[in-house]
Amino acid sequence: MTRRERYAEVRARLESLLEGEDDWIAALSTVVCELHAAFDYYDWTGFYRVTAPELLVVGPYQGGHGCLRIPFSRGVCGAAARTRRTQRVDDVSLFPDHIACSSTTRSEIVVPVVSPAGSVLAVLDVDSDSLAAFDEVDEAELERISVDLASRFPEGASARSLARSRERPPIG
Ligand code: SME
């Protein structure tokens, strides 16, 4: 199966899993789970959410330890949030100010989640223990998933979805 075909499968699963879902964290957790399980070169998969001006705080992730807080001024994640542009890094040892949450990471891709109004809601960060693990297919497909997320949650964890999730009766 090609990478593009595997991403198409992931997107189809997300379409059904996220149908009617209005909780931001539930949606982010599901995206991370599906991506991390689908690709063997994904060694760390997670979101950093914008929780204050110029501040990224770790959200749902899979893999080893993730750094908790990253200012927009630091790292690959900060660069993606600051520039609103995907950062695809073939060799993290050559990226100035790369933040090594894990000593085994060799390459990385970070995609900003930008709302339709243009504000950065989060970044999707994927690390690999292999050099140059990510290509233009990963970039295009992860950007597609981020655009879809931003259209479903134009304000991220908005007060509205927070209020609604509180209204929802507990399961069971
Ligand atoms: N390497 C990232 C930090 C997060 S870890 O990869 C989970 C960076 O440089 O921003």
Side-chain angles (χ1 to χ4, degrees):
M1 187 185 292
T2 67
R3 261 181 209 198
R4 209 175 277 289
E5 288 165 342
R6 201 175 287 282
Y7 276 110
E9 274 196 351
V10 168
R11 278 190 281 105
R13 275 203 299 280
L14 289 175
E15 196 59 40
S16 67
L17 288 167
L18 296 182
E19 195 184 341
E21 182 51 60
D22 62 9
D23 186 89
W24 171 239
I25 295 297
L28 298 186
S29 306
T30 306
V31 169
V32 166
C33 170
E34 291 300 321
L35 285 171
H36 198 72
F39 299 97
D40 57 9
Y41 54 96
Y42 278 41
D43 294 296
W44 192 95
T45 312
F47 284 94
Y48 283 87
R49 303 155 301 130
V50 178
T51 60
E54 313 268 320
L55 179 65
L56 295 162
V57 175
V58 74
Y61 69 88
Q62 298 207 3
H65 163 74
C67 306
L68 274 67
R69 291 163 183 273
I70 301 174
F72 277 31
S73 57
R74 297 277 328 274
V76 185
C77 294
R82 208 171 51 243
T83 63
R84 289 169 171 70
R85 297 180 66 84
T86 297
Q87 308 289 310
R88 180 152 54 99
V89 181
D90 286 346
D91 182 346
V92 293
S93 71
L94 302 177
F95 189 94
D97 195 30
H98 167 256
I99 303 169
C101 305
S102 157
S103 59
T104 60
T105 298
R106 294 289 170 273
S107 61
E108 182 161 3
I109 186 167
V110 185
V111 177
V113 181
V114 180
S115 74
S119 51
V120 183
L121 303 171
V123 297
L124 171 54
D125 178 19
V126 189
D127 296 344
S128 179
D129 294 347
S130 313
L131 281 172
F134 307 101
D135 64 15
E136 61 287 342
V137 173
D138 296 293
E139 189 162 335
E141 293 291 341
L142 290 173
E143 286 176 350
R144 209 168 157 174
I145 290 170
S146 292
V147 167
D148 177 64
L149 258 178
S151 64
R152 288 170 187 270
F153 298 90
E155 298 149 34
S158 72
R160 183 169 48 77
S161 65
L162 280 174
R164 276 225 299 257
S165 61
R166 282 200 197 100
E167 286 155 17
R168 182 175 289 206
I171 295 174

